[in-house]
Amino acid sequence: MTEAVAQEPATLLAPASAPNPFEFVSANGIVFGRGAAARLPALLKGLGVSKLLLVTGRTGQARYAPLLQALVDAGLAIAPFVVAKEPGILDLTAGLEVCRAARCDGVVGLGGGAVVDAAKALAALATNPGEIMDYLEVVGKGQPITQKPLPFIAMPTTAGTGSEVTKNAVILAEEHGRKVSIRSPMMLPDVALVDPELGVGAPPQVTAFSGMDCLTQCIEPYVSCCANPFTDALAKEGMLRAARSLRAAYRNGQDLEAREDLAAAATMGGLALANAKLGAVHGFAGYVGGRYPAAPHGAVCAALLPHVFRANAAALAGRCAEEEGEGSSAAHHRRLLARHVEVARIITGNPRADVEEGAAFLEALAADLRVPPLTAFGMAPEHFEEVAAASAASSSMKGNPLVLSQEQLVGILAAACAVPPSFTS
């Protein structure tokens, strides 16, 4: 079935998403471009901020010292807070203490996805009563955010999560061994300030893992069962930019054109996922990241992406073969399968590529970026059934193009744990 679909003209492969009602949310403002970071003091002043909680990673304050000096020169008081890893409940507790002690009236997250998520959560928690667990989904009470968060500017320094334009913050619930979210439309950043120059010189491994997450977050919304015409346009452009520039940015951290492509793709992917959901890659990643704390989110996504892409397409082809006629279900599955073919053609640059060539491209890209198998983080075959069952209940699975069986999920994990021949060379 996939071969038959692959021979159809490209213009007929993936018709526009069904014109069902949809909503589209974003950050209140997006400022993008080289040198855009210089606008931070003026943007903060415009938001009425005078005492700033500045959330960075371990090296952020030293790396971006000129920017911090510009904030001081503009008369802003700074309370620094460092997030050294993916944020957990203890990190948020410590951050809130700093924020409240300094009486901060605004927050900036300057760093990778973990830093932006932590800053976003702190901006919301600082103005809402109660305990952190009150607002955590799945493991907590999941109460809604009711009070407007502190003014918040998101400044990503890695091109990955797209958190600068999303309404949730991913938090590690240490005691529960899984990642969960605090989520509210009120948590959308006041400004997403995206300057590609902030990513110049990032370590190759950070570029690789965050870049594969970025690519995943463009592909999954496009093949999602919840896609809409707005997210389609963003996802297609994002996957094109990420696929053509990720290797270049990995090989040369100073390649500003490649960094610009990835920064744009990450923001596009963030907008797409916020409005069309994700899929099985992130369905797995949320649980795997909590189950194996040493596993970077981007590395998990990178190891899974080729195998989820292949498994979804195979499952859709099977459905198409079983279904006859022109019923709505048959048409829906044919459209989703065609979208996988179109993804293959976009990322490979080959207008006649099929699904298998797309999956092979993703495998080769992961190998070139030295993405390890999931066994490198502690996963073993005896864990597959447990991880598959737990991941199946993830909220991200709701966006997958179809429901995968336990057997199919286990097969994906087995493939993601296999050591590629090129990885050992």
Side-chain angles (χ1 to χ4, degrees):
M1 184 64 187
T2 53
E3 293 181 0
V5 172
Q7 298 307 312
E8 295 183 18
T11 55
L12 298 180
L13 277 174
S17 301
N20 295 320
F22 65 88
E23 297 181 8
F24 191 92
V25 299
S26 173
N28 291 296
I30 299 174
V31 178
F32 183 96
R34 302 181 189 185
R39 296 180 58 181
L40 180 60
L43 290 168
L44 287 168
K45 290 285 189 179
L47 292 170
V49 176
S50 60
K51 298 178 181 179
L52 174 67
L53 178 69
L54 179 65
V55 184
T56 67
R58 277 191 297 261
T59 63
Q61 293 178 40
R63 185 176 178 187
Y64 303 111
L67 178 59
L68 272 62
Q69 186 59 51
L71 295 173
V72 173
D73 293 344
L76 288 153
I78 300 175
F81 181 68
V82 173
V83 175
K85 55 180 178 56
E86 296 195 54
I89 296 172
L90 294 177
D91 299 299
L92 295 184
T93 300
L96 283 173
E97 290 177 358
V98 172
C99 183
R100 288 167 176 162
R103 298 185 179 180
C104 293
D105 54 11
V107 182
V108 168
L110 174 64
V115 168
V116 174
D117 275 353
K120 189 188 302 183
L122 289 169
L125 292 169
T127 60
N128 281 269
E131 303 297 324
I132 295 171
M133 287 295 293
D134 293 340
Y135 301 100
L136 288 179
E137 297 177 343
V138 183
V139 300
K141 296 180 181 178
Q143 291 179 184
I145 297 293
T146 58
Q147 303 300 312
K148 182 177 173 59
L150 293 177
F152 171 52
I153 294 180
M155 297 184 68
T157 62
T158 60
T161 68
S163 182
E164 65 270 16
V165 289
T166 65
K167 61 183 178 182
N168 70 299
V170 178
I171 307 301
L172 177 63
E174 297 97 332
E175 291 186 6
H176 300 272
R178 66 185 305 157
K179 295 179 183 178
V180 294
S181 283
I182 302 174
R183 189 186 315 269
S184 170
M186 298 176 74
M187 292 172 62
L188 287 162
D190 291 283
V191 181
L193 184 52
V194 186
D195 185 341
E197 292 181 352
L198 296 178
V200 170
Q205 188 181 72
V206 171
T207 299
F209 293 170
S210 62
M212 285 297 286
D213 187 24
C214 164
L215 179 57
T216 303
Q217 292 179 168
C218 292
I219 292 175
E220 287 201 300
Y222 188 68
V223 300
S224 166
C225 58
C226 304
N228 67 64
F230 283 25
T231 59
D232 286 352
L234 291 162
K236 289 170 71 174
E237 180 69 15
M239 70 178 87
L240 172 66
R241 289 174 179 265
R244 78 185 180 193
S245 293
L246 182 46
R247 282 188 178 91
Y250 174 74
R251 292 168 179 163
N252 177 11
Q254 303 298 318
D255 188 333
L256 191 51
E257 289 189 1
R259 292 285 180 194
E260 193 168 50
D261 257 356
L262 291 178
T267 301
M268 291 172 184
L271 289 166
L273 75 89
N275 293 281
K277 300 188 183 296
L278 288 161
V281 174
H282 280 82
F284 277 121
Y287 182 76
V288 170
R291 176 73 163 75
Y292 309 95
H297 173 75
V300 174
C301 291
L304 288 163
L305 178 59
H307 312 297
V308 169
F309 184 79
R310 183 181 282 122
N312 275 336
L316 286 166
R319 293 284 181 88
C320 291
E322 294 170 1
E323 296 166 337
E324 297 181 0
E326 298 298 323
S328 60
S329 178
H332 176 67
H333 289 134
R334 284 198 300 270
R335 183 168 62 247
L336 289 172
L337 178 57
R339 282 176 169 254
H340 283 75
V341 179
E342 188 168 4
V343 168
R345 295 179 178 184
I346 291 171
I347 62 178
T348 63
N350 175 7
R352 298 194 66 80
D354 59 19
V355 165
E356 183 51 39
E357 287 171 298
F361 174 90
L362 295 171
E363 286 179 319
L365 179 59
D368 287 350
L369 300 179
R370 305 296 293 171
V371 173
L374 294 183
T375 49
F377 307 114
M379 187 177 291
E382 57 268 28
H383 304 163
F384 290 171
E385 293 287 345
E386 169 219 328
V387 173
S391 299
S394 166
S395 61
S396 289
M397 285 288 186
K398 296 176 183 178
N400 206 55
L402 76 174
V403 176
L404 297 171
S405 68
Q406 175 79 356
E407 181 181 2
Q408 289 166 326
L409 294 174
V410 167
I412 290 168
L413 292 174
C417 282
V419 180
S422 57
F423 190 78
T424 58
S425 60

